[in-house]
Amino acid sequence: MEDFQYKQYTEEENRIYNESMDVIMRGLKNGLSFHEACSSVEVRDEELKNFILDDALKIMIADMHYIKSLSLQQVADALQLPFAKIEKANAEMLEDISITNEEVFKLKDCGGTQYGNA
């Protein structure tokens, strides 16, 4: 697998991310559909906005599916999104977790600490 690095965001981008995420989560809590909650976010940088919306969806999937044990179909219904979109975002989220996990083990390995029985 090739080396993968996530983009590093500036302090301002992190502020925009956090404020936007708060708006989306508050909207969902107040009964808005996912699309409605995301529509209330105004971010000029299209790449950053897409990243925020993608993360918000993954957070909702993690909460509803993995914590609250709803099926992916139930998540799709609750967020009023097509099942295929939920399924794709879930697969991407699991891939993100895998990449992060590999990076953590690389860092630990570089520190000289041995893990496991090998």
Side-chain angles (χ1 to χ4, degrees):
M1 179 192 270
E2 67 184 64
D3 286 339
F4 178 83
Q5 290 189 359
Y6 289 103
K7 178 181 176 183
Q8 296 297 311
Y9 288 92
T10 66
E11 204 172 299
E12 176 66 8
E13 289 169 325
N14 282 325
R15 183 191 62 75
I16 292 167
Y17 175 94
N18 290 327
E19 288 176 0
S20 299
M21 209 49 90
D22 288 344
V23 168
I24 294 168
M25 295 305 156
R26 193 170 36 252
L28 290 169
K29 185 178 179 183
N30 290 329
L32 295 179
S33 70
F34 185 77
H35 178 71
E36 291 167 333
C38 290
S39 294
S40 60
V41 171
E42 294 182 25
V43 177
R44 290 185 189 141
D45 180 334
E46 229 20 69
E47 180 183 359
L48 179 58
K49 184 174 183 175
N50 289 334
F51 177 73
I52 292 166
L53 301 183
D54 188 56
D55 263 12
L57 180 55
K58 290 174 183 175
I59 288 167
M60 293 309 299
I61 291 169
D63 178 57
M64 298 172 84
H65 181 61
Y66 293 100
I67 295 173
K68 296 178 180 164
S69 299
L70 297 177
S71 71
L72 290 178
Q73 184 62 58
Q74 290 171 313
V75 172
D77 294 343
L79 296 177
Q80 299 175 27
L81 292 171
F83 177 75
K85 183 173 181 97
I86 297 298
E87 195 171 44
K88 181 179 182 222
N90 184 61
E92 289 172 358
M93 180 176 57
L94 294 175
E95 186 176 340
D96 289 345
I97 292 167
S98 177
I99 290 168
T100 301
N101 190 41
E102 288 176 19
E103 290 301 314
V104 167
F105 279 108
K106 282 182 190 175
L107 290 173
K108 287 182 180 179
D109 191 39
C110 290
T113 305
Q114 183 177 353
Y115 295 92
N117 295 324

PDB file of all heavy atoms in Angstrom, residues 37-71:
ATOM      1  N   ALA A  37     -29.724  20.061   7.134  1.00  0.00           N
ATOM      2  CA  ALA A  37     -28.717  20.489   8.106  1.00  0.00           C
ATOM      3  C   ALA A  37     -27.439  20.945   7.401  1.00  0.00           C
ATOM      4  O   ALA A  37     -26.843  21.953   7.768  1.00  0.00           O
ATOM      5  CB  ALA A  37     -28.413  19.353   9.085  1.00  0.00           C
ATOM      6  N   CYS A  38     -27.047  20.224   6.362  1.00  0.00           N
ATOM      7  CA  CYS A  38     -25.833  20.576   5.621  1.00  0.00           C
ATOM      8  C   CYS A  38     -26.025  21.843   4.799  1.00  0.00           C
ATOM      9  O   CYS A  38     -25.070  22.608   4.603  1.00  0.00           O
ATOM     10  CB  CYS A  38     -25.407  19.426   4.713  1.00  0.00           C
ATOM     11  SG  CYS A  38     -24.792  18.001   5.631  1.00  0.00           S
ATOM     12  N   SER A  39     -27.240  22.081   4.345  1.00  0.00           N
ATOM     13  CA  SER A  39     -27.517  23.282   3.553  1.00  0.00           C
ATOM     14  C   SER A  39     -27.361  24.554   4.364  1.00  0.00           C
ATOM     15  O   SER A  39     -27.166  25.629   3.802  1.00  0.00           O
ATOM     16  CB  SER A  39     -28.937  23.221   2.979  1.00  0.00           C
ATOM     17  OG  SER A  39     -29.023  22.176   2.048  1.00  0.00           O
ATOM     18  N   SER A  40     -27.442  24.448   5.672  1.00  0.00           N
ATOM     19  CA  SER A  40     -27.323  25.632   6.519  1.00  0.00           C
ATOM     20  C   SER A  40     -25.870  26.033   6.761  1.00  0.00           C
ATOM     21  O   SER A  40     -25.605  27.065   7.372  1.00  0.00           O
ATOM     22  CB  SER A  40     -28.041  25.407   7.852  1.00  0.00           C
ATOM     23  OG  SER A  40     -27.479  24.312   8.535  1.00  0.00           O
ATOM     24  N   VAL A  41     -24.936  25.237   6.266  1.00  0.00           N
ATOM     25  CA  VAL A  41     -23.506  25.529   6.427  1.00  0.00           C
ATOM     26  C   VAL A  41     -23.011  26.323   5.228  1.00  0.00           C
ATOM     27  O   VAL A  41     -23.240  25.928   4.084  1.00  0.00           O
ATOM     28  CB  VAL A  41     -22.690  24.212   6.565  1.00  0.00           C
ATOM     29  CG1 VAL A  41     -21.214  24.477   6.513  1.00  0.00           C
ATOM     30  CG2 VAL A  41     -23.077  23.491   7.826  1.00  0.00           C
ATOM     31  N   GLU A  42     -22.355  27.432   5.501  1.00  0.00           N
ATOM     32  CA  GLU A  42     -21.797  28.256   4.432  1.00  0.00           C
ATOM     33  C   GLU A  42     -20.276  28.259   4.542  1.00  0.00           C
ATOM     34  O   GLU A  42     -19.717  28.888   5.437  1.00  0.00           O
ATOM     35  CB  GLU A  42     -22.345  29.680   4.521  1.00  0.00           C
ATOM     36  CG  GLU A  42     -23.832  29.758   4.252  1.00  0.00           C
ATOM     37  CD  GLU A  42     -24.361  31.175   4.302  1.00  0.00           C
ATOM     38  OE1 GLU A  42     -23.578  32.119   4.083  1.00  0.00           O
ATOM     39  OE2 GLU A  42     -25.560  31.325   4.565  1.00  0.00           O
ATOM     40  N   VAL A  43     -19.636  27.529   3.639  1.00  0.00           N
ATOM     41  CA  VAL A  43     -18.180  27.461   3.585  1.00  0.00           C
ATOM     42  C   VAL A  43     -17.772  27.759   2.151  1.00  0.00           C
ATOM     43  O   VAL A  43     -18.220  27.079   1.230  1.00  0.00           O
ATOM     44  CB  VAL A  43     -17.667  26.061   4.024  1.00  0.00           C
ATOM     45  CG1 VAL A  43     -16.162  25.975   3.909  1.00  0.00           C
ATOM     46  CG2 VAL A  43     -18.129  25.743   5.441  1.00  0.00           C
ATOM     47  N   ARG A  44     -16.934  28.762   1.980  1.00  0.00           N
ATOM     48  CA  ARG A  44     -16.540  29.181   0.625  1.00  0.00           C
ATOM     49  C   ARG A  44     -15.619  28.175  -0.054  1.00  0.00           C
ATOM     50  O   ARG A  44     -15.725  27.942  -1.245  1.00  0.00           O
ATOM     51  CB  ARG A  44     -15.845  30.539   0.680  1.00  0.00           C
ATOM     52  CG  ARG A  44     -16.788  31.651   1.017  1.00  0.00           C
ATOM     53  CD  ARG A  44     -16.097  32.993   0.942  1.00  0.00           C
ATOM     54  NE  ARG A  44     -16.987  34.005   1.490  1.00  0.00           N
ATOM     55  CZ  ARG A  44     -16.596  35.000   2.239  1.00  0.00           C
ATOM     56  NH1 ARG A  44     -15.317  35.152   2.508  1.00  0.00           N
ATOM     57  NH2 ARG A  44     -17.465  35.858   2.712  1.00  0.00           N
ATOM     58  N   ASP A  45     -14.719  27.587   0.719  1.00  0.00           N
ATOM     59  CA  ASP A  45     -13.757  26.627   0.181  1.00  0.00           C
ATOM     60  C   ASP A  45     -14.486  25.306  -0.073  1.00  0.00           C
ATOM     61  O   ASP A  45     -14.864  24.595   0.857  1.00  0.00           O
ATOM     62  CB  ASP A  45     -12.611  26.436   1.177  1.00  0.00           C
ATOM     63  CG  ASP A  45     -11.547  25.456   0.716  1.00  0.00           C
ATOM     64  OD1 ASP A  45     -11.838  24.557  -0.094  1.00  0.00           O
ATOM     65  OD2 ASP A  45     -10.414  25.580   1.198  1.00  0.00           O
ATOM     66  N   GLU A  46     -14.706  24.979  -1.339  1.00  0.00           N
ATOM     67  CA  GLU A  46     -15.492  23.801  -1.720  1.00  0.00           C
ATOM     68  C   GLU A  46     -14.854  22.508  -1.214  1.00  0.00           C
ATOM     69  O   GLU A  46     -15.558  21.592  -0.769  1.00  0.00           O
ATOM     70  CB  GLU A  46     -15.608  23.767  -3.234  1.00  0.00           C
ATOM     71  CG  GLU A  46     -16.957  23.559  -3.875  1.00  0.00           C
ATOM     72  CD  GLU A  46     -18.221  23.824  -3.101  1.00  0.00           C
ATOM     73  OE1 GLU A  46     -18.550  24.962  -2.775  1.00  0.00           O
ATOM     74  OE2 GLU A  46     -18.930  22.839  -2.862  1.00  0.00           O
ATOM     75  N   GLU A  47     -13.537  22.400  -1.275  1.00  0.00           N
ATOM     76  CA  GLU A  47     -12.846  21.199  -0.786  1.00  0.00           C
ATOM     77  C   GLU A  47     -13.074  21.022   0.711  1.00  0.00           C
ATOM     78  O   GLU A  47     -13.387  19.923   1.174  1.00  0.00           O
ATOM     79  CB  GLU A  47     -11.345  21.293  -1.089  1.00  0.00           C
ATOM     80  CG  GLU A  47     -10.569  20.075  -0.613  1.00  0.00           C
ATOM     81  CD  GLU A  47      -9.067  20.191  -0.841  1.00  0.00           C
ATOM     82  OE1 GLU A  47      -8.596  21.204  -1.391  1.00  0.00           O
ATOM     83  OE2 GLU A  47      -8.358  19.250  -0.447  1.00  0.00           O
ATOM     84  N   LEU A  48     -12.935  22.098   1.462  1.00  0.00           N
ATOM     85  CA  LEU A  48     -13.158  22.043   2.910  1.00  0.00           C
ATOM     86  C   LEU A  48     -14.616  21.705   3.209  1.00  0.00           C
ATOM     87  O   LEU A  48     -14.905  20.877   4.080  1.00  0.00           O
ATOM     88  CB  LEU A  48     -12.756  23.361   3.569  1.00  0.00           C
ATOM     89  CG  LEU A  48     -12.959  23.450   5.087  1.00  0.00           C
ATOM     90  CD1 LEU A  48     -12.179  22.355   5.808  1.00  0.00           C
ATOM     91  CD2 LEU A  48     -12.546  24.833   5.592  1.00  0.00           C
ATOM     92  N   LYS A  49     -15.538  22.318   2.488  1.00  0.00           N
ATOM     93  CA  LYS A  49     -16.962  22.045   2.707  1.00  0.00           C
ATOM     94  C   LYS A  49     -17.278  20.573   2.447  1.00  0.00           C
ATOM     95  O   LYS A  49     -17.982  19.936   3.243  1.00  0.00           O
ATOM     96  CB  LYS A  49     -17.828  22.925   1.807  1.00  0.00           C
ATOM     97  CG  LYS A  49     -19.311  22.747   2.069  1.00  0.00           C
ATOM     98  CD  LYS A  49     -20.160  23.714   1.293  1.00  0.00           C
ATOM     99  CE  LYS A  49     -21.625  23.555   1.644  1.00  0.00           C
ATOM    100  NZ  LYS A  49     -22.459  24.556   0.995  1.00  0.00           N
ATOM    101  N   ASN A  50     -16.751  20.025   1.367  1.00  0.00           N
ATOM    102  CA  ASN A  50     -16.984  18.604   1.070  1.00  0.00           C
ATOM    103  C   ASN A  50     -16.416  17.711   2.155  1.00  0.00           C
ATOM    104  O   ASN A  50     -17.025  16.700   2.526  1.00  0.00           O
ATOM    105  CB  ASN A  50     -16.408  18.239  -0.299  1.00  0.00           C
ATOM    106  CG  ASN A  50     -17.199  18.839  -1.429  1.00  0.00           C
ATOM    107  OD1 ASN A  50     -18.393  19.112  -1.308  1.00  0.00           O
ATOM    108  ND2 ASN A  50     -16.547  19.061  -2.558  1.00  0.00           N
ATOM    109  N   PHE A  51     -15.252  18.070   2.678  1.00  0.00           N
ATOM    110  CA  PHE A  51     -14.633  17.321   3.766  1.00  0.00           C
ATOM    111  C   PHE A  51     -15.530  17.356   5.008  1.00  0.00           C
ATOM    112  O   PHE A  51     -15.758  16.332   5.655  1.00  0.00           O
ATOM    113  CB  PHE A  51     -13.248  17.907   4.075  1.00  0.00           C
ATOM    114  CG  PHE A  51     -12.554  17.250   5.225  1.00  0.00           C
ATOM    115  CD1 PHE A  51     -12.016  15.988   5.112  1.00  0.00           C
ATOM    116  CD2 PHE A  51     -12.433  17.914   6.436  1.00  0.00           C
ATOM    117  CE1 PHE A  51     -11.370  15.375   6.181  1.00  0.00           C
ATOM    118  CE2 PHE A  51     -11.793  17.322   7.512  1.00  0.00           C
ATOM    119  CZ  PHE A  51     -11.264  16.055   7.381  1.00  0.00           C
ATOM    120  N   ILE A  52     -16.064  18.521   5.326  1.00  0.00           N
ATOM    121  CA  ILE A  52     -16.938  18.680   6.494  1.00  0.00           C
ATOM    122  C   ILE A  52     -18.198  17.831   6.338  1.00  0.00           C
ATOM    123  O   ILE A  52     -18.579  17.087   7.256  1.00  0.00           O
ATOM    124  CB  ILE A  52     -17.311  20.167   6.698  1.00  0.00           C
ATOM    125  CG1 ILE A  52     -16.072  20.962   7.119  1.00  0.00           C
ATOM    126  CG2 ILE A  52     -18.434  20.319   7.721  1.00  0.00           C
ATOM    127  CD1 ILE A  52     -16.240  22.474   7.023  1.00  0.00           C
ATOM    128  N   LEU A  53     -18.834  17.920   5.181  1.00  0.00           N
ATOM    129  CA  LEU A  53     -20.077  17.171   4.953  1.00  0.00           C
ATOM    130  C   LEU A  53     -19.823  15.666   4.989  1.00  0.00           C
ATOM    131  O   LEU A  53     -20.619  14.901   5.543  1.00  0.00           O
ATOM    132  CB  LEU A  53     -20.714  17.583   3.634  1.00  0.00           C
ATOM    133  CG  LEU A  53     -21.070  19.074   3.494  1.00  0.00           C
ATOM    134  CD1 LEU A  53     -21.767  19.322   2.164  1.00  0.00           C
ATOM    135  CD2 LEU A  53     -21.894  19.580   4.657  1.00  0.00           C
ATOM    136  N   ASP A  54     -18.693  15.254   4.417  1.00  0.00           N
ATOM    137  CA  ASP A  54     -18.314  13.840   4.422  1.00  0.00           C
ATOM    138  C   ASP A  54     -18.089  13.353   5.853  1.00  0.00           C
ATOM    139  O   ASP A  54     -18.575  12.287   6.239  1.00  0.00           O
ATOM    140  CB  ASP A  54     -17.048  13.664   3.567  1.00  0.00           C
ATOM    141  CG  ASP A  54     -16.679  12.227   3.348  1.00  0.00           C
ATOM    142  OD1 ASP A  54     -17.525  11.467   2.846  1.00  0.00           O
ATOM    143  OD2 ASP A  54     -15.524  11.866   3.669  1.00  0.00           O
ATOM    144  N   ASP A  55     -17.367  14.140   6.637  1.00  0.00           N
ATOM    145  CA  ASP A  55     -17.121  13.774   8.033  1.00  0.00           C
ATOM    146  C   ASP A  55     -18.415  13.732   8.837  1.00  0.00           C
ATOM    147  O   ASP A  55     -18.608  12.833   9.659  1.00  0.00           O
ATOM    148  CB  ASP A  55     -16.158  14.764   8.687  1.00  0.00           C
ATOM    149  CG  ASP A  55     -14.728  14.272   8.691  1.00  0.00           C
ATOM    150  OD1 ASP A  55     -14.424  13.286   8.007  1.00  0.00           O
ATOM    151  OD2 ASP A  55     -13.908  14.893   9.399  1.00  0.00           O
ATOM    152  N   ALA A  56     -19.289  14.699   8.611  1.00  0.00           N
ATOM    153  CA  ALA A  56     -20.558  14.734   9.353  1.00  0.00           C
ATOM    154  C   ALA A  56     -21.365  13.463   9.094  1.00  0.00           C
ATOM    155  O   ALA A  56     -21.925  12.871  10.026  1.00  0.00           O
ATOM    156  CB  ALA A  56     -21.362  15.975   8.960  1.00  0.00           C
ATOM    157  N   LEU A  57     -21.391  13.042   7.844  1.00  0.00           N
ATOM    158  CA  LEU A  57     -22.121  11.816   7.512  1.00  0.00           C
ATOM    159  C   LEU A  57     -21.488  10.610   8.199  1.00  0.00           C
ATOM    160  O   LEU A  57     -22.189   9.773   8.779  1.00  0.00           O
ATOM    161  CB  LEU A  57     -22.165  11.606   5.993  1.00  0.00           C
ATOM    162  CG  LEU A  57     -22.908  10.367   5.517  1.00  0.00           C
ATOM    163  CD1 LEU A  57     -24.341  10.329   6.051  1.00  0.00           C
ATOM    164  CD2 LEU A  57     -22.898  10.302   4.002  1.00  0.00           C
ATOM    165  N   LYS A  58     -20.176  10.531   8.177  1.00  0.00           N
ATOM    166  CA  LYS A  58     -19.489   9.398   8.821  1.00  0.00           C
ATOM    167  C   LYS A  58     -19.708   9.395  10.330  1.00  0.00           C
ATOM    168  O   LYS A  58     -19.878   8.336  10.941  1.00  0.00           O
ATOM    169  CB  LYS A  58     -18.003   9.424   8.470  1.00  0.00           C
ATOM    170  CG  LYS A  58     -17.755   9.089   7.010  1.00  0.00           C
ATOM    171  CD  LYS A  58     -16.305   9.261   6.633  1.00  0.00           C
ATOM    172  CE  LYS A  58     -16.096   8.991   5.149  1.00  0.00           C
ATOM    173  NZ  LYS A  58     -14.708   9.257   4.734  1.00  0.00           N
ATOM    174  N   ILE A  59     -19.734  10.569  10.930  1.00  0.00           N
ATOM    175  CA  ILE A  59     -20.004  10.664  12.369  1.00  0.00           C
ATOM    176  C   ILE A  59     -21.405  10.157  12.675  1.00  0.00           C
ATOM    177  O   ILE A  59     -21.616   9.410  13.641  1.00  0.00           O
ATOM    178  CB  ILE A  59     -19.822  12.114  12.859  1.00  0.00           C
ATOM    179  CG1 ILE A  59     -18.328  12.471  12.870  1.00  0.00           C
ATOM    180  CG2 ILE A  59     -20.437  12.315  14.249  1.00  0.00           C
ATOM    181  CD1 ILE A  59     -18.045  13.953  13.034  1.00  0.00           C
ATOM    182  N   MET A  60     -22.365  10.533  11.851  1.00  0.00           N
ATOM    183  CA  MET A  60     -23.737  10.079  12.068  1.00  0.00           C
ATOM    184  C   MET A  60     -23.858   8.570  11.880  1.00  0.00           C
ATOM    185  O   MET A  60     -24.552   7.898  12.645  1.00  0.00           O
ATOM    186  CB  MET A  60     -24.700  10.821  11.138  1.00  0.00           C
ATOM    187  CG  MET A  60     -24.834  12.300  11.447  1.00  0.00           C
ATOM    188  SD  MET A  60     -25.200  12.661  13.186  1.00  0.00           S
ATOM    189  CE  MET A  60     -26.764  11.818  13.398  1.00  0.00           C
ATOM    190  N   ILE A  61     -23.171   8.037  10.888  1.00  0.00           N
ATOM    191  CA  ILE A  61     -23.196   6.581  10.672  1.00  0.00           C
ATOM    192  C   ILE A  61     -22.578   5.873  11.872  1.00  0.00           C
ATOM    193  O   ILE A  61     -23.133   4.891  12.384  1.00  0.00           O
ATOM    194  CB  ILE A  61     -22.468   6.197   9.369  1.00  0.00           C
ATOM    195  CG1 ILE A  61     -23.265   6.694   8.158  1.00  0.00           C
ATOM    196  CG2 ILE A  61     -22.251   4.687   9.296  1.00  0.00           C
ATOM    197  CD1 ILE A  61     -22.516   6.595   6.842  1.00  0.00           C
ATOM    198  N   ALA A  62     -21.444   6.371  12.335  1.00  0.00           N
ATOM    199  CA  ALA A  62     -20.778   5.752  13.488  1.00  0.00           C
ATOM    200  C   ALA A  62     -21.708   5.759  14.702  1.00  0.00           C
ATOM    201  O   ALA A  62     -21.843   4.747  15.398  1.00  0.00           O
ATOM    202  CB  ALA A  62     -19.478   6.483  13.806  1.00  0.00           C
ATOM    203  N   ASP A  63     -22.355   6.884  14.941  1.00  0.00           N
ATOM    204  CA  ASP A  63     -23.246   7.005  16.096  1.00  0.00           C
ATOM    205  C   ASP A  63     -24.475   6.109  15.956  1.00  0.00           C
ATOM    206  O   ASP A  63     -24.801   5.329  16.852  1.00  0.00           O
ATOM    207  CB  ASP A  63     -23.675   8.468  16.270  1.00  0.00           C
ATOM    208  CG  ASP A  63     -24.639   8.635  17.430  1.00  0.00           C
ATOM    209  OD1 ASP A  63     -24.280   8.250  18.563  1.00  0.00           O
ATOM    210  OD2 ASP A  63     -25.757   9.144  17.202  1.00  0.00           O
ATOM    211  N   MET A  64     -25.137   6.216  14.827  1.00  0.00           N
ATOM    212  CA  MET A  64     -26.412   5.515  14.662  1.00  0.00           C
ATOM    213  C   MET A  64     -26.245   4.018  14.434  1.00  0.00           C
ATOM    214  O   MET A  64     -27.024   3.214  14.958  1.00  0.00           O
ATOM    215  CB  MET A  64     -27.198   6.143  13.514  1.00  0.00           C
ATOM    216  CG  MET A  64     -27.562   7.610  13.770  1.00  0.00           C
ATOM    217  SD  MET A  64     -28.272   8.412  12.323  1.00  0.00           S
ATOM    218  CE  MET A  64     -29.978   7.879  12.505  1.00  0.00           C
ATOM    219  N   HIS A  65     -25.230   3.635  13.657  1.00  0.00           N
ATOM    220  CA  HIS A  65     -25.059   2.223  13.308  1.00  0.00           C
ATOM    221  C   HIS A  65     -24.216   1.475  14.343  1.00  0.00           C
ATOM    222  O   HIS A  65     -24.634   0.417  14.832  1.00  0.00           O
ATOM    223  CB  HIS A  65     -24.426   2.107  11.926  1.00  0.00           C
ATOM    224  CG  HIS A  65     -24.229   0.705  11.440  1.00  0.00           C
ATOM    225  ND1 HIS A  65     -25.275  -0.169  11.250  1.00  0.00           N
ATOM    226  CD2 HIS A  65     -23.098   0.028  11.103  1.00  0.00           C
ATOM    227  CE1 HIS A  65     -24.806  -1.336  10.820  1.00  0.00           C
ATOM    228  NE2 HIS A  65     -23.493  -1.242  10.723  1.00  0.00           N
ATOM    229  N   TYR A  66     -23.071   2.016  14.678  1.00  0.00           N
ATOM    230  CA  TYR A  66     -22.146   1.285  15.547  1.00  0.00           C
ATOM    231  C   TYR A  66     -22.400   1.495  17.031  1.00  0.00           C
ATOM    232  O   TYR A  66     -22.087   0.623  17.837  1.00  0.00           O
ATOM    233  CB  TYR A  66     -20.699   1.643  15.187  1.00  0.00           C
ATOM    234  CG  TYR A  66     -20.340   1.142  13.811  1.00  0.00           C
ATOM    235  CD1 TYR A  66     -20.339   1.997  12.714  1.00  0.00           C
ATOM    236  CD2 TYR A  66     -20.053  -0.201  13.595  1.00  0.00           C
ATOM    237  CE1 TYR A  66     -20.035   1.525  11.441  1.00  0.00           C
ATOM    238  CE2 TYR A  66     -19.760  -0.680  12.332  1.00  0.00           C
ATOM    239  CZ  TYR A  66     -19.752   0.192  11.258  1.00  0.00           C
ATOM    240  OH  TYR A  66     -19.469  -0.283  10.000  1.00  0.00           O
ATOM    241  N   ILE A  67     -22.976   2.626  17.404  1.00  0.00           N
ATOM    242  CA  ILE A  67     -23.255   2.858  18.824  1.00  0.00           C
ATOM    243  C   ILE A  67     -24.704   2.511  19.160  1.00  0.00           C
ATOM    244  O   ILE A  67     -24.967   1.797  20.118  1.00  0.00           O
ATOM    245  CB  ILE A  67     -22.919   4.313  19.223  1.00  0.00           C
ATOM    246  CG1 ILE A  67     -21.405   4.528  19.084  1.00  0.00           C
ATOM    247  CG2 ILE A  67     -23.375   4.618  20.653  1.00  0.00           C
ATOM    248  CD1 ILE A  67     -20.944   5.953  19.275  1.00  0.00           C
ATOM    249  N   LYS A  68     -25.645   2.992  18.343  1.00  0.00           N
ATOM    250  CA  LYS A  68     -27.059   2.763  18.622  1.00  0.00           C
ATOM    251  C   LYS A  68     -27.620   1.517  17.954  1.00  0.00           C
ATOM    252  O   LYS A  68     -28.793   1.208  18.095  1.00  0.00           O
ATOM    253  CB  LYS A  68     -27.870   3.996  18.211  1.00  0.00           C
ATOM    254  CG  LYS A  68     -27.505   5.212  19.046  1.00  0.00           C
ATOM    255  CD  LYS A  68     -28.257   6.437  18.614  1.00  0.00           C
ATOM    256  CE  LYS A  68     -27.855   7.629  19.491  1.00  0.00           C
ATOM    257  NZ  LYS A  68     -28.264   8.909  18.895  1.00  0.00           N
ATOM    258  N   SER A  69     -26.791   0.816  17.200  1.00  0.00           N
ATOM    259  CA  SER A  69     -27.128  -0.469  16.586  1.00  0.00           C
ATOM    260  C   SER A  69     -28.274  -0.421  15.575  1.00  0.00           C
ATOM    261  O   SER A  69     -28.985  -1.408  15.401  1.00  0.00           O
ATOM    262  CB  SER A  69     -27.434  -1.527  17.650  1.00  0.00           C
ATOM    263  OG  SER A  69     -26.298  -1.721  18.469  1.00  0.00           O
ATOM    264  N   LEU A  70     -28.457   0.712  14.905  1.00  0.00           N
ATOM    265  CA  LEU A  70     -29.428   0.760  13.820  1.00  0.00           C
ATOM    266  C   LEU A  70     -28.813   0.122  12.579  1.00  0.00           C
ATOM    267  O   LEU A  70     -27.594   0.192  12.376  1.00  0.00           O
ATOM    268  CB  LEU A  70     -29.811   2.209  13.499  1.00  0.00           C
ATOM    269  CG  LEU A  70     -30.500   3.014  14.599  1.00  0.00           C
ATOM    270  CD1 LEU A  70     -30.747   4.444  14.131  1.00  0.00           C
ATOM    271  CD2 LEU A  70     -31.812   2.365  15.008  1.00  0.00           C
ATOM    272  N   SER A  71     -29.632  -0.482  11.750  1.00  0.00           N
ATOM    273  CA  SER A  71     -29.119  -1.023  10.495  1.00  0.00           C
ATOM    274  C   SER A  71     -28.746   0.147   9.589  1.00  0.00           C
ATOM    275  O   SER A  71     -29.206   1.284   9.785  1.00  0.00           O
ATOM    276  CB  SER A  71     -30.185  -1.886   9.815  1.00  0.00           C
ATOM    277  OG  SER A  71     -31.233  -1.058   9.322  1.00  0.00           O
TER     278      SER A  71
END
